[in-house]
Amino acid sequence: MSEAAAMTRDSGRESGGAPAADRPLVEARHVVKHFDLGGHFLQRERPTVKALNDVSITIRRGEAFCLVGESGCGKSTLARVVMGLLDPTDGEIRFDGTRIDALGHRARKPFHRRMQMIFQNPYASLNPRRTVQQTLEEPVRFHFPKLSDAEVKAKVEQVMVSVGNDPGWGNRYPHEFSGGQRQRISIARALMVDPDFVVADEPISALDVSIQAQVLNVMMDTRERLDLTYLFITHDLSVVRHFGSRVGVMYLGTLCELADTKTLFETPRHPYTRILLSAIPRVTTEEMQPPGLPGEVPSAMNLPSGCVFHDRCPLANARCSAEVPKPQSQADGTLVACHAVEEGRG
Amino acid sequence: MALLDVRDLVVEFPTRHGTLTALSGISFSVDKGERVGIVGESGAGKSVAAFAILNLLSRPGRIAGGSITFEGQDLTQLSTQRMRAVRGNRISMIFQDPMMTLNPVLTIGTQMIETLKAHRDISEAEARRIAITRLGEVKIPSPEKRLDSYPHELSGGMRQRVVIAIALLTEPALIIADEPTTALDVTIQAEIMSLMLALCKSHGVGLILITHDLAVVSQVTQRVVVLYAGRVVESGETGRVVHNPVHPYTRGLLAALPGEAPPGARLTQIRGTMPSLNAIPEGCPFHPRCDYVQDRCRQAEPALDSLDGHLVRCVRAHELMAGQAA
Ligand SMILES: Nc1ncnc2c1ncn2[C@@H]1O[C@H](COP(=O)(O)OP(=O)(O)OP(=O)(O)O)[C@@H](O)[C@H]1O
Ligand SMILES: Nc1ncnc2c1ncn2[C@@H]1O[C@H](COP(=O)(O)OP(=O)(O)OP(=O)(O)O)[C@@H](O)[C@H]1O
Ligand code: SF4
Ligand SMILES: [Mg+2]
Ligand SMILES: [Mg+2]
């Protein structure tokens, strides 16, 4: 590791008291996020999108935590709240022991460095008018103003090599690269400032399978080599199975289940998780079957009473439409929010 | 006789820097009621093939050779007007983005009824009745009420189902679906693909499913065509192609699927990328990326060989098929 990198890693550890290896790196506690939509100001009730409703997750150091769930269930919103790009309506976010959602702009700066994000679209997320070198140098100069030009350049080269990119790409522009190469440049940009935590929101959905494999390999390498912690959002469950250490399954702004990847795929418990896993397409000549999910996704503006899944759930009973199930810890540590599972009806 | 027979189709894009050949003589056919998949990486020419069939190539694209015979007539020879009668009537198209089909300022009902009246001589009431039946078939709840909805009032999955309902309105013989579920999550994907499968079967409609998702192709289609750099490199019965792929490119695509590797292991990747159209390598266009490459692969482009019905464009096809290539 370069001197600069070593230096910044140490200073990163200071905030939030003594380093505790077993303390979670990221915690979202009882997060609520509502979006108020326009509406007329005289209207008594303005429409509100209830995007997150009391969601708690903890992300351990060095893990690849995956978030999955139906489109619109709040995955990106949770990621953006964790990153500080959105303020939670209620609840709190902790990073390495420090509550960060209420910090002022200056106090947040070190956390901005330690938490980085990679976006879905490798075409839109790089500035087309800047060379790769300029794009990669900028965050280093911002967060490490004391580094000399030579040190900055050395750092760019080191990171580019570490993600398998040719450092000679520096004076070229984004349009000269393929989707996979651009996404690897985005990863390099996120890693430039020695983050501890990287949020990747659908980082490979726009790419071909062969290129997806390249990008996933780079992410797996960096996780091990640089001791990174990932929050990975995807709708591709075979990627989750391959890459994830633990998985949070969301439905309509609620966490239904949180389990080790292996446990989740072997013994899914929440009825929604089971339906979700059974819908994964496989290479087989068995014909595609309907997912066994009746009705439509309800609107986040008008949440169902009780369990948000009750009107589509094969196991729902009267209690499910009246009472919100709380996440309950199972014998193996899995969290499941379902009355049927609690009552042993699952 | 095949419903659709594409023979030696060549599509070119003349540009300032010379002519780009997006399809270099591809052939495939679809029988009545048959479901055929077209797969390949980005830039392989999948969408260009679909647009060429419908005579919807974006400028300056043009069909420079070959024929497209549909229900006995060569579509490449039809007048614009006669082609319009085929398109959206005998052949329907479903795009990745439902908003390519739906008009945001018209209700679902208006769009469906207008489509029907444009292609058939029927009354408003009759058109309305058919529209309701079709919406019901794609499992839209209370279809009578949904006729008055605007596209933005529906979820992404519902919009794509409405597009399928519209595609079925004119009782086409062939539906071409270009990445119809790529933007959707797996439960909605399963809902939509199983629905398309069922409707193709019950209405005897042929389907061309374009996607880069080999798993979806394996669960929906009966035959599959693998495109690489504007050429067919492998085609055959879907089960055979996905379980016993012969061409190194098809093998690479299947091996790169995360489901194929043990969790946490490095994924197999095909090295390099699809060449751009102005830099197609000499010989076998796949040779710079191929794990089985030999000197002769660099000399001449291999022909499409038939190994009892399974077509493969690779000089080592026989060895690979027999499992003898190292
Ligand atoms: N800025 C916003 N204003 C209003 N509503 C919003 C806003 N951002 C998100 N939403 C709504 O919040 C809900 C959750 O959206 P979010 O983007 O987090 O879903 P997601 O799980 O990431 O979905 P996808 O898989 O489609 O990306 C949706 O109903 C969405 O329409
Ligand atoms: N209007 C155009 N002008 C020039 N080249 C074009 C044009 N349209 C397509 N091409 C080229 O034709 C080739 C095939 O494109 P096509 O859109 O068919 O790819 P595809 O297989 O559908 O890929 P994807 O999976 O990304 O949709 C590409 O190299 C593309 O750049
Ligand atoms: S012809 Fe040669 S280079 Fe091309 S796929 Fe076959 S073995 Fe590979
Ligand atoms: Mg999202
Ligand atoms: Mg395409």
PDB file of all heavy atoms in Angstrom, chain A residues 38-58:
ATOM      1  N   GLY A  38     -46.382  16.648  -4.786  1.00  0.00           N
ATOM      2  CA  GLY A  38     -46.978  17.976  -4.987  1.00  0.00           C
ATOM      3  C   GLY A  38     -48.327  18.147  -4.325  1.00  0.00           C
ATOM      4  O   GLY A  38     -48.415  18.594  -3.182  1.00  0.00           O
ATOM      5  N   GLY A  39     -49.391  17.796  -5.018  1.00  0.00           N
ATOM      6  CA  GLY A  39     -50.730  18.002  -4.491  1.00  0.00           C
ATOM      7  C   GLY A  39     -51.017  19.493  -4.331  1.00  0.00           C
ATOM      8  O   GLY A  39     -50.127  20.321  -4.412  1.00  0.00           O
ATOM      9  N   HIS A  40     -52.228  19.857  -4.096  1.00  0.00           N
ATOM     10  CA  HIS A  40     -52.588  21.254  -3.907  1.00  0.00           C
ATOM     11  C   HIS A  40     -52.408  21.600  -2.447  1.00  0.00           C
ATOM     12  O   HIS A  40     -52.721  20.804  -1.576  1.00  0.00           O
ATOM     13  CB  HIS A  40     -54.032  21.480  -4.355  1.00  0.00           C
ATOM     14  CG  HIS A  40     -54.364  22.924  -4.490  1.00  0.00           C
ATOM     15  ND1 HIS A  40     -54.769  23.685  -3.429  1.00  0.00           N
ATOM     16  CD2 HIS A  40     -54.312  23.749  -5.554  1.00  0.00           C
ATOM     17  CE1 HIS A  40     -54.974  24.922  -3.849  1.00  0.00           C
ATOM     18  NE2 HIS A  40     -54.693  24.987  -5.137  1.00  0.00           N
ATOM     19  N   PHE A  41     -51.932  22.844  -2.147  1.00  0.00           N
ATOM     20  CA  PHE A  41     -51.625  23.130  -0.737  1.00  0.00           C
ATOM     21  C   PHE A  41     -52.884  23.213   0.111  1.00  0.00           C
ATOM     22  O   PHE A  41     -52.827  23.105   1.318  1.00  0.00           O
ATOM     23  CB  PHE A  41     -50.755  24.392  -0.614  1.00  0.00           C
ATOM     24  CG  PHE A  41     -51.491  25.663  -0.858  1.00  0.00           C
ATOM     25  CD1 PHE A  41     -51.922  26.437   0.228  1.00  0.00           C
ATOM     26  CD2 PHE A  41     -51.747  26.108  -2.144  1.00  0.00           C
ATOM     27  CE1 PHE A  41     -52.583  27.619   0.006  1.00  0.00           C
ATOM     28  CE2 PHE A  41     -52.415  27.284  -2.367  1.00  0.00           C
ATOM     29  CZ  PHE A  41     -52.849  28.055  -1.284  1.00  0.00           C
ATOM     30  N   LEU A  42     -54.044  23.383  -0.530  1.00  0.00           N
ATOM     31  CA  LEU A  42     -55.270  23.411   0.255  1.00  0.00           C
ATOM     32  C   LEU A  42     -55.817  22.014   0.513  1.00  0.00           C
ATOM     33  O   LEU A  42     -56.682  21.820   1.348  1.00  0.00           O
ATOM     34  CB  LEU A  42     -56.345  24.234  -0.475  1.00  0.00           C
ATOM     35  CG  LEU A  42     -56.097  25.747  -0.460  1.00  0.00           C
ATOM     36  CD1 LEU A  42     -57.182  26.471  -1.252  1.00  0.00           C
ATOM     37  CD2 LEU A  42     -56.039  26.269   0.975  1.00  0.00           C
ATOM     38  N   GLN A  43     -55.277  21.064  -0.235  1.00  0.00           N
ATOM     39  CA  GLN A  43     -55.741  19.689  -0.062  1.00  0.00           C
ATOM     40  C   GLN A  43     -55.419  19.246   1.360  1.00  0.00           C
ATOM     41  O   GLN A  43     -54.308  19.489   1.836  1.00  0.00           O
ATOM     42  CB  GLN A  43     -54.957  18.790  -1.020  1.00  0.00           C
ATOM     43  CG  GLN A  43     -55.798  18.037  -2.015  1.00  0.00           C
ATOM     44  CD  GLN A  43     -54.905  17.368  -3.041  1.00  0.00           C
ATOM     45  OE1 GLN A  43     -54.381  18.017  -3.941  1.00  0.00           O
ATOM     46  NE2 GLN A  43     -54.714  16.086  -2.876  1.00  0.00           N
ATOM     47  N   ARG A  44     -56.368  18.626   2.010  1.00  0.00           N
ATOM     48  CA  ARG A  44     -56.096  18.244   3.385  1.00  0.00           C
ATOM     49  C   ARG A  44     -54.979  17.198   3.427  1.00  0.00           C
ATOM     50  O   ARG A  44     -54.006  17.329   4.138  1.00  0.00           O
ATOM     51  CB  ARG A  44     -57.351  17.713   4.064  1.00  0.00           C
ATOM     52  CG  ARG A  44     -57.061  17.486   5.535  1.00  0.00           C
ATOM     53  CD  ARG A  44     -58.234  17.598   6.471  1.00  0.00           C
ATOM     54  NE  ARG A  44     -59.379  18.336   5.968  1.00  0.00           N
ATOM     55  CZ  ARG A  44     -60.619  17.974   6.244  1.00  0.00           C
ATOM     56  NH1 ARG A  44     -60.852  16.907   6.974  1.00  0.00           N
ATOM     57  NH2 ARG A  44     -61.636  18.670   5.796  1.00  0.00           N
ATOM     58  N   GLU A  45     -55.109  16.158   2.617  1.00  0.00           N
ATOM     59  CA  GLU A  45     -54.074  15.131   2.638  1.00  0.00           C
ATOM     60  C   GLU A  45     -53.326  15.117   1.329  1.00  0.00           C
ATOM     61  O   GLU A  45     -53.859  14.742   0.305  1.00  0.00           O
ATOM     62  CB  GLU A  45     -54.717  13.759   2.873  1.00  0.00           C
ATOM     63  CG  GLU A  45     -55.012  13.539   4.331  1.00  0.00           C
ATOM     64  CD  GLU A  45     -55.526  12.146   4.592  1.00  0.00           C
ATOM     65  OE1 GLU A  45     -54.894  11.190   4.079  1.00  0.00           O
ATOM     66  OE2 GLU A  45     -56.546  12.022   5.277  1.00  0.00           O
ATOM     67  N   ARG A  46     -52.070  15.554   1.360  1.00  0.00           N
ATOM     68  CA  ARG A  46     -51.261  15.472   0.157  1.00  0.00           C
ATOM     69  C   ARG A  46     -50.838  14.026  -0.019  1.00  0.00           C
ATOM     70  O   ARG A  46     -50.589  13.327   0.958  1.00  0.00           O
ATOM     71  CB  ARG A  46     -49.995  16.301   0.355  1.00  0.00           C
ATOM     72  CG  ARG A  46     -50.343  17.749   0.556  1.00  0.00           C
ATOM     73  CD  ARG A  46     -49.352  18.579  -0.183  1.00  0.00           C
ATOM     74  NE  ARG A  46     -49.339  19.914   0.362  1.00  0.00           N
ATOM     75  CZ  ARG A  46     -48.240  20.639   0.428  1.00  0.00           C
ATOM     76  NH1 ARG A  46     -47.086  20.120   0.059  1.00  0.00           N
ATOM     77  NH2 ARG A  46     -48.290  21.854   0.880  1.00  0.00           N
ATOM     78  N   PRO A  47     -50.742  13.583  -1.268  1.00  0.00           N
ATOM     79  CA  PRO A  47     -50.309  12.200  -1.465  1.00  0.00           C
ATOM     80  C   PRO A  47     -48.875  12.000  -0.970  1.00  0.00           C
ATOM     81  O   PRO A  47     -48.017  12.858  -1.175  1.00  0.00           O
ATOM     82  CB  PRO A  47     -50.408  12.011  -2.980  1.00  0.00           C
ATOM     83  CG  PRO A  47     -50.519  13.368  -3.570  1.00  0.00           C
ATOM     84  CD  PRO A  47     -51.027  14.293  -2.516  1.00  0.00           C
ATOM     85  N   THR A  48     -48.656  10.919  -0.259  1.00  0.00           N
ATOM     86  CA  THR A  48     -47.336  10.610   0.283  1.00  0.00           C
ATOM     87  C   THR A  48     -46.929   9.220  -0.172  1.00  0.00           C
ATOM     88  O   THR A  48     -47.700   8.275  -0.013  1.00  0.00           O
ATOM     89  CB  THR A  48     -47.383  10.626   1.822  1.00  0.00           C
ATOM     90  OG1 THR A  48     -47.779  11.925   2.232  1.00  0.00           O
ATOM     91  CG2 THR A  48     -46.039  10.308   2.419  1.00  0.00           C
ATOM     92  N   VAL A  49     -45.735   9.112  -0.713  1.00  0.00           N
ATOM     93  CA  VAL A  49     -45.209   7.800  -1.069  1.00  0.00           C
ATOM     94  C   VAL A  49     -44.474   7.259   0.157  1.00  0.00           C
ATOM     95  O   VAL A  49     -43.504   7.847   0.608  1.00  0.00           O
ATOM     96  CB  VAL A  49     -44.236   7.885  -2.260  1.00  0.00           C
ATOM     97  CG1 VAL A  49     -43.657   6.505  -2.568  1.00  0.00           C
ATOM     98  CG2 VAL A  49     -44.925   8.461  -3.475  1.00  0.00           C
ATOM     99  N   LYS A  50     -44.964   6.148   0.694  1.00  0.00           N
ATOM    100  CA  LYS A  50     -44.321   5.570   1.876  1.00  0.00           C
ATOM    101  C   LYS A  50     -43.277   4.565   1.410  1.00  0.00           C
ATOM    102  O   LYS A  50     -43.505   3.366   1.362  1.00  0.00           O
ATOM    103  CB  LYS A  50     -45.374   4.942   2.772  1.00  0.00           C
ATOM    104  CG  LYS A  50     -46.326   6.022   3.284  1.00  0.00           C
ATOM    105  CD  LYS A  50     -47.374   5.476   4.210  1.00  0.00           C
ATOM    106  CE  LYS A  50     -48.164   6.657   4.802  1.00  0.00           C
ATOM    107  NZ  LYS A  50     -49.593   6.387   4.882  1.00  0.00           N
ATOM    108  N   ALA A  51     -42.102   5.093   1.058  1.00  0.00           N
ATOM    109  CA  ALA A  51     -41.084   4.277   0.386  1.00  0.00           C
ATOM    110  C   ALA A  51     -40.390   3.321   1.353  1.00  0.00           C
ATOM    111  O   ALA A  51     -40.039   2.208   0.974  1.00  0.00           O
ATOM    112  CB  ALA A  51     -40.067   5.169  -0.303  1.00  0.00           C
ATOM    113  N   LEU A  52     -40.153   3.765   2.596  1.00  0.00           N
ATOM    114  CA  LEU A  52     -39.536   2.888   3.605  1.00  0.00           C
ATOM    115  C   LEU A  52     -40.324   3.039   4.892  1.00  0.00           C
ATOM    116  O   LEU A  52     -40.597   4.162   5.332  1.00  0.00           O
ATOM    117  CB  LEU A  52     -38.077   3.288   3.859  1.00  0.00           C
ATOM    118  CG  LEU A  52     -37.097   3.150   2.697  1.00  0.00           C
ATOM    119  CD1 LEU A  52     -35.742   3.763   3.079  1.00  0.00           C
ATOM    120  CD2 LEU A  52     -36.909   1.691   2.294  1.00  0.00           C
ATOM    121  N   ASN A  53     -40.673   1.915   5.504  1.00  0.00           N
ATOM    122  CA  ASN A  53     -41.497   1.952   6.702  1.00  0.00           C
ATOM    123  C   ASN A  53     -40.868   1.098   7.790  1.00  0.00           C
ATOM    124  O   ASN A  53     -41.095  -0.093   7.840  1.00  0.00           O
ATOM    125  CB  ASN A  53     -42.899   1.452   6.369  1.00  0.00           C
ATOM    126  CG  ASN A  53     -43.509   2.272   5.243  1.00  0.00           C
ATOM    127  OD1 ASN A  53     -43.818   3.438   5.421  1.00  0.00           O
ATOM    128  ND2 ASN A  53     -43.610   1.670   4.070  1.00  0.00           N
ATOM    129  N   ASP A  54     -40.015   1.725   8.605  1.00  0.00           N
ATOM    130  CA  ASP A  54     -39.399   1.028   9.722  1.00  0.00           C
ATOM    131  C   ASP A  54     -38.507  -0.126   9.248  1.00  0.00           C
ATOM    132  O   ASP A  54     -38.761  -1.290   9.547  1.00  0.00           O
ATOM    133  CB  ASP A  54     -40.477   0.526  10.692  1.00  0.00           C
ATOM    134  CG  ASP A  54     -39.868   0.081  12.023  1.00  0.00           C
ATOM    135  OD1 ASP A  54     -38.650   0.274  12.220  1.00  0.00           O
ATOM    136  OD2 ASP A  54     -40.625  -0.461  12.857  1.00  0.00           O
ATOM    137  N   VAL A  55     -37.471   0.234   8.505  1.00  0.00           N
ATOM    138  CA  VAL A  55     -36.535  -0.781   8.012  1.00  0.00           C
ATOM    139  C   VAL A  55     -35.232  -0.708   8.808  1.00  0.00           C
ATOM    140  O   VAL A  55     -34.662   0.364   8.964  1.00  0.00           O
ATOM    141  CB  VAL A  55     -36.224  -0.575   6.510  1.00  0.00           C
ATOM    142  CG1 VAL A  55     -35.134  -1.541   6.046  1.00  0.00           C
ATOM    143  CG2 VAL A  55     -37.493  -0.755   5.677  1.00  0.00           C
ATOM    144  N   SER A  56     -34.800  -1.839   9.342  1.00  0.00           N
ATOM    145  CA  SER A  56     -33.520  -1.901  10.051  1.00  0.00           C
ATOM    146  C   SER A  56     -32.634  -2.958   9.411  1.00  0.00           C
ATOM    147  O   SER A  56     -33.077  -4.088   9.201  1.00  0.00           O
ATOM    148  CB  SER A  56     -33.729  -2.286  11.526  1.00  0.00           C
ATOM    149  OG  SER A  56     -34.557  -1.340  12.166  1.00  0.00           O
ATOM    150  N   ILE A  57     -31.384  -2.581   9.100  1.00  0.00           N
ATOM    151  CA  ILE A  57     -30.404  -3.586   8.678  1.00  0.00           C
ATOM    152  C   ILE A  57     -29.061  -3.249   9.306  1.00  0.00           C
ATOM    153  O   ILE A  57     -28.789  -2.098   9.616  1.00  0.00           O
ATOM    154  CB  ILE A  57     -30.215  -3.652   7.130  1.00  0.00           C
ATOM    155  CG1 ILE A  57     -29.791  -2.304   6.567  1.00  0.00           C
ATOM    156  CG2 ILE A  57     -31.456  -4.159   6.425  1.00  0.00           C
ATOM    157  CD1 ILE A  57     -29.337  -2.358   5.112  1.00  0.00           C
ATOM    158  N   THR A  58     -28.242  -4.262   9.521  1.00  0.00           N
ATOM    159  CA  THR A  58     -26.868  -4.009   9.949  1.00  0.00           C
ATOM    160  C   THR A  58     -25.957  -4.688   8.939  1.00  0.00           C
ATOM    161  O   THR A  58     -26.236  -5.790   8.485  1.00  0.00           O
ATOM    162  CB  THR A  58     -26.574  -4.621  11.332  1.00  0.00           C
ATOM    163  OG1 THR A  58     -26.825  -6.012  11.243  1.00  0.00           O
ATOM    164  CG2 THR A  58     -27.414  -4.011  12.411  1.00  0.00           C
TER     165      THR A  58
END
